[in-house]
Amino acid sequence: MRLLSFRYWVLTLLFCWSFAAHSLQLSIPYQQSAEQIRQTFEPQLYTLAAFTAGHYGLRMYRQSLDPKYTAAIWQDMARGASNLNKFSAELTTPEQITQYGLNRLKSYENSPKERSQRRLAATKAMPEYMYLGVGLLGSMARANEYGLKHRDDAKFRELLRCYDFKKYATDPEMIRAWGAQLANQVYWLRQLGEQDVVNEFVVAFRETYPDSQDSKLSEQQYGNKIYILTHIIFAASQYYQLPIQEKDFQWIFDYYRKNIDNIIKNTKEDIIAEVGVNFLLAGLDNDPVVGKTRYAIQHAINDKHGMIPSVTGDFDLASGEHRNVLAIMLLDWKGTNIGPTVNRQPDMFKRIPYGLIAK
């Protein structure tokens, strides 16, 4: 018996050592997989549209503080400035804002996708949302993050105060259609020091998507629910700039842990990656959920093309940037960093796009 006990102890020790060594080795391939995706996208980055290049560059800068992404960030600034310049010059009356919204909604009319039809149905009675939420707020908030504002910032704020954003943020059909965007927008309003409806949005979201009803959701609506959860945490972190505390979002993390297998099985790779990054923002690098999401994302990479394809097998860089930049962050997380801002990184702001000024 003593011999068997000793042999069991030795085998157990060897197993634990082997498992630890294997786990240590896994950290290298994850980083290599992230680098594989970087090498696919970065040589082609400036062939992509300003929005797409800016989305990639800003996230990679906030991970690395590497000034090589300056040009992509300048493109992002210029795009936001262009939007605000247009809004300032052309959209100054309620009638113009309504018409702008109706024109934007036309793009959904002929789409058979469930999301498009939900957005059309939910928003046609309040088309101004297409201007306020989808258009204006994002550009104002991004300028604010850079330490800038538009020269007509006061006019934009006066206009925002003419509308009660609670109307959009607490409407169940709007949440089913625009939930992740609304999560961004209520935090942007708070960031800008305007109307604060974050708590009202969260309450309305939880009433719209009770956990007990998950099994009754369509695939699109289940993905939408998880996407909203991830964006609540992203928006609270000011998009990878600030760490968050698990206890402040305990209900979200508890839900993830309970449902991670369903999430991996029933949502797209970008949502899976976002769940993992939510844990990383909370400093929970060693949580089993992170391991499961990293494993799923790494095994979704097509080695021949050096990227994660769409669910239909498409390898287009522009449409695939979102899921792949999130994969890089998940597989090679480097922490949170504030910036860039005109005060912290003045060399990146030697030329500010027309219409923007320092706050």
Side-chain angles (χ1 to χ4, degrees), residues 17 36 45 48 61 82 94 112 150 165 228 232-233 319 348:
W17 178 85
Q36 182 182 18
L45 186 60
L48 304 177
Y61 181 81
S82 178
H150 192 264
F165 209 83
I228 296 168
I232 289 171
I233 290 177
S319 60
M348 296 179 70

Side-chain angles (χ1 to χ4, degrees), residues 14 58 75 85 113 115 191 209 270 326 336:
L14 288 172
L58 182 57
Q75 282 188 323
N85 290 338
K113 294 181 179 179
R115 184 181 70 173
Q191 174 186 322
Y209 287 108
D270 51 354
L326 283 159
T336 57

Side-chain angles (χ1 to χ4, degrees), residues 1 21 29 41 55 67 76 79 86 100 116 119-120 154 169 177-178 199 233 237 239 246 260 270 290 355:
M1 288 295 291
F41 276 82
H55 184 276
D76 184 67
R79 179 191 59 83
K86 176 182 173 66
Y100 170 89
S116 297
R119 288 182 172 180
L120 179 62
W178 296 100
N199 293 336
I233 290 177
S237 77
Y239 273 82
E246 177 184 1
I260 186 57
D270 51 354
V290 176

Side-chain angles (χ1 to χ4, degrees), residues 35-317:
E35 183 61 23
Q36 182 182 18
I37 299 173
R38 270 193 288 261
Q39 291 302 317
T40 299
F41 276 82
E42 297 198 4
Q44 303 296 321
L45 186 60
Y46 297 108
T47 68
L48 304 177
F51 175 85
T52 307
H55 184 276
Y56 181 98
L58 182 57
R59 280 149 183 77
M60 288 295 94
Y61 181 81
R62 286 176 175 170
Q63 280 286 281
S64 66
L65 297 180
D66 191 329
K68 74 178 182 179
Y69 298 110
T70 298
I73 289 168
W74 198 92
Q75 282 188 323
D76 184 67
M77 273 196 295
R79 179 191 59 83
S82 178
N83 288 340
L84 293 173
N85 290 338
K86 176 182 173 66
F87 295 155
S88 176
E90 301 178 14
L91 301 172
T92 58
T93 68
E95 292 77 18
Q96 290 171 329
I97 290 169
T98 297
Q99 190 58 52
Y100 170 89
L102 291 171
N103 291 339
R104 288 284 303 268
L105 284 170
K106 287 179 181 178
S107 64
Y108 297 115
E109 290 178 353
N110 297 319
S111 173
K113 294 181 179 179
E114 179 180 349
R115 184 181 70 173
S116 297
Q117 290 307 307
R118 284 184 177 276
R119 288 182 172 180
L120 179 62
T123 322
K124 62 185 178 183
M126 46 183 100
E128 71 279 1
Y129 170 77
M130 300 299 292
Y131 168 79
L132 297 170
V134 181
L136 179 62
L137 266 176
S139 295
M140 286 182 68
R142 183 59 55 77
N144 178 268
E145 289 172 12
Y146 290 140
L148 305 171
K149 64 180 181 179
H150 192 264
R151 59 182 183 172
D152 289 329
D153 180 73
K155 181 169 72 174
F156 289 138
R157 290 174 180 271
E158 184 179 351
L159 189 151
L160 280 174
R161 294 165 191 163
C162 293
Y163 298 89
D164 183 1
F165 209 83
K166 183 178 178 180
K167 172 183 177 181
Y168 319 113
T170 60
D171 182 279
E173 292 308 313
M174 287 292 284
I175 292 171
R176 293 186 181 103
W178 296 100
Q181 289 74 22
L182 285 166
N184 291 338
Q185 291 150 13
V186 295
Y187 273 95
W188 287 337
L189 277 170
R190 174 186 279 181
Q191 174 186 322
L192 291 167
E194 295 297 329
Q195 186 179 9
D196 190 340
V197 290
V198 169
N199 293 336
E200 289 91 337
F201 167 75
V202 170
V203 169
F205 160 72
R206 298 184 75 174
E207 291 175 350
T208 302
Y209 287 108
D211 296 347
S212 60
Q213 299 297 306
D214 279 2
S215 62
K216 298 181 180 180
L217 296 174
S218 68
E219 181 179 336
Q220 189 276 331
Q221 279 294 285
Y222 183 69
N224 191 57
K225 174 179 178 173
I226 310 306
Y227 201 39
I228 296 168
L229 291 174
T230 64
H231 277 243
I232 289 171
I233 290 177
F234 285 163
S237 77
Q238 293 190 20
Y239 273 82
Y240 325 112
Q241 293 191 92
L242 304 170
I244 62 104
Q245 297 294 318
E246 177 184 1
K247 62 182 177 61
D248 294 336
F249 303 94
Q250 196 64 59
W251 61 279
I252 297 181
F253 287 100
D254 289 347
Y255 179 87
Y256 286 155
R257 291 188 177 105
K258 183 178 179 180
N259 295 279
I260 186 57
D261 292 336
N262 286 334
I263 291 170
I264 290 173
K265 180 181 177 181
N266 295 305
T267 67
K268 298 177 181 179
E269 281 81 9
D270 51 354
I271 297 177
I272 296 169
E274 289 190 354
V275 170
V277 174
N278 276 186
F279 278 78
L280 296 173
L281 282 166
L284 302 170
D285 303 49
N286 296 319
D287 193 285
V289 169
V290 176
K292 288 186 175 185
T293 57
R294 280 177 167 162
Y295 182 87
I297 291 303
Q298 185 182 56
H299 284 75
I301 298 171
N302 181 288
D303 287 330
K304 179 181 177 181
H305 291 87
M307 63 180 290
I308 300 172
S310 71
V311 293
T312 59
D314 184 88
F315 292 97
D316 178 67
L317 292 184

